[in-house]
Amino acid sequence: MRCTSWLLGSALFGLMSAAQAAVDPAVLDRPAPTPIRASKIVLVGDSTTAVQGGWGPAFCARHVTSFLTCTNLARGGRSTYNYRAEGSWALAEAEMRTPGYATTWVLVQFGHNDQPGKPGRSTDLQREFPDNLRRYVREIRAAGAQPVLLTPLTRRQFADGVLIDDLAPWAEAVRAVARELEVPLVDLHARSRAVVQALGPVAAMPLAQAAATPAQVSAALEGTTVGAAPVAGAPAAQNNAVTEPMGQAKVAFDYTHLGPDGAALFATLVTEELARQVPSLRPLLIP
């Protein structure tokens, strides 16, 4: 009998506790949910934006809020021509058309592989390169997304202490298209060039993916950067067409690609400029 009474009492206590929990004001007084308004950024470009060797991973990981999806579709070795020709652009367009996002921005940065000497990639600077950019802008808008053009990230090669600005013509072509089509412009080339020039050839070396050789450091101390010398003790200028291949990504020292420190630095610059040029994005960015 005592056992039965104890069991009945326990059951009654459990029912009372369940009833009290069922009428918890914190549950009953919930306000009507407010639907979220999430947006998206799609990164399009070459290795200086891509997950291997670019600023894109640091940007997506550190500089966007949880209400801004960041999708990095940049790929190493790509130009305004072969990014489209191989089908990467079709994947980017599919991302632009994904339903449910309040706004989708597409950041486009090319130039490195559009330069001469890149078989299967190079484009004509005067006509094809700007025409390709115009087409990207038109198709981004047709997909209902918002285009943002970026000038190419500077390389970090020096001669007699002065930064070699070999990408200046491509940067200017991007600026011209941005003005013509009234597209927001992130002038990454100008910002990165100023920072790298201020650092100088030696201090800029840790921005790379791997450590420089003693011979490269020695040359940089004299103000001029060199590539991997084919013969010991014989300085040689870096051949960018050779060190920026289309093939398998690799971790090596060069004056173009970025390691963790370089990615962090230039992702911050992109974020600062993006907040200035696209004010509606500011609430979704983390400086």
Side-chain angles (χ1 to χ4, degrees), residues 208-223:
Q209 292 180 297
T213 66
Q216 289 169 324
V217 174
S218 178
L221 286 168
E222 298 298 322

Side-chain angles (χ1 to χ4, degrees), residues 2-227:
R2 289 180 180 178
C3 181
T4 302
S5 298
W6 181 84
L7 289 172
L8 289 172
S10 297
L12 181 60
F13 178 78
L15 289 172
M16 292 174 63
S17 298
Q20 290 174 345
V23 295
D24 183 349
V27 175
L28 293 179
D29 295 340
R30 286 175 178 165
T34 301
I36 65 167
R37 286 182 56 80
S39 293
K40 179 194 282 190
I41 278 183
V42 179
L43 303 182
V44 168
D46 55 37
S47 59
T48 60
T49 302
V51 294
Q52 175 67 37
W55 54 264
F59 174 80
C60 291
R62 304 179 185 182
H63 294 286
V64 301
T65 72
S66 59
F67 290 90
L68 184 62
T69 298
C70 190
T71 302
N72 191 346
L73 296 183
R75 305 187 195 283
R78 272 60 183 185
S79 66
T80 56
Y81 161 72
N82 66 340
Y83 188 87
R84 177 188 294 277
E86 70 184 6
S88 286
W89 181 245
L91 296 177
E93 285 189 297
E95 288 290 336
M96 298 174 215
R97 298 181 188 276
T98 303
Y101 291 98
T103 307
T104 296
W105 288 273
V106 183
L107 276 58
V108 178
Q109 183 208 296
F110 286 107
H112 287 77
N113 297 297
D114 288 87
Q115 288 184 299
K118 305 289 185 71
R121 296 175 274 171
S122 299
T123 62
D124 172 65
L125 173 61
Q126 301 305 317
R127 188 167 185 178
E128 186 180 10
F129 179 64
D131 280 352
N132 288 346
L133 292 176
R134 293 184 186 101
R135 186 178 176 189
Y136 282 133
V137 169
R138 288 196 304 268
E139 292 177 0
I140 290 168
R141 287 172 169 165
Q146 304 296 318
V148 180
L149 293 178
L150 285 75
T151 54
L153 178 73
T154 188
R155 291 191 177 94
R156 303 179 301 279
Q157 293 171 276
F158 287 79
D160 297 323
V162 178
L163 188 65
I164 299 171
D165 195 6
D166 63 336
L167 283 158
W170 284 265
E172 186 51 42
V174 177
R175 295 184 191 110
V177 172
R179 289 192 299 268
E180 173 192 337
L181 301 183
E182 298 182 338
V183 178
L185 176 75
V186 171
D187 200 345
L188 180 58
H189 185 75
R191 288 294 307 272
S192 60
R193 186 173 180 274
V195 168
V196 174
Q197 179 64 69
L199 286 172
V202 177
M205 283 181 157
L207 303 180
Q209 292 180 297
T213 66
Q216 289 169 324
V217 174
S218 178
L221 286 168
E222 298 298 322
T224 298
T225 53
V226 297

Side-chain angles (χ1 to χ4, degrees), residues 53-54 206-210 257-264:
L207 303 180
Q209 292 180 297
H257 300 102
L258 306 173
D261 290 346

Side-chain angles (χ1 to χ4, degrees), residues 39 41 68 103 105 146-148 182-186 270-286:
S39 293
I41 278 183
L68 184 62
T103 307
W105 288 273
Q146 304 296 318
V148 180
E182 298 182 338
V183 178
L185 176 75
V186 171
V270 169
T271 305
E272 291 174 354
E273 287 302 308
L274 197 55
R276 290 190 184 98
Q277 302 304 324
V278 189
S280 57
L281 258 175
R282 288 177 188 169
L284 301 175
L285 297 174
I286 302 170

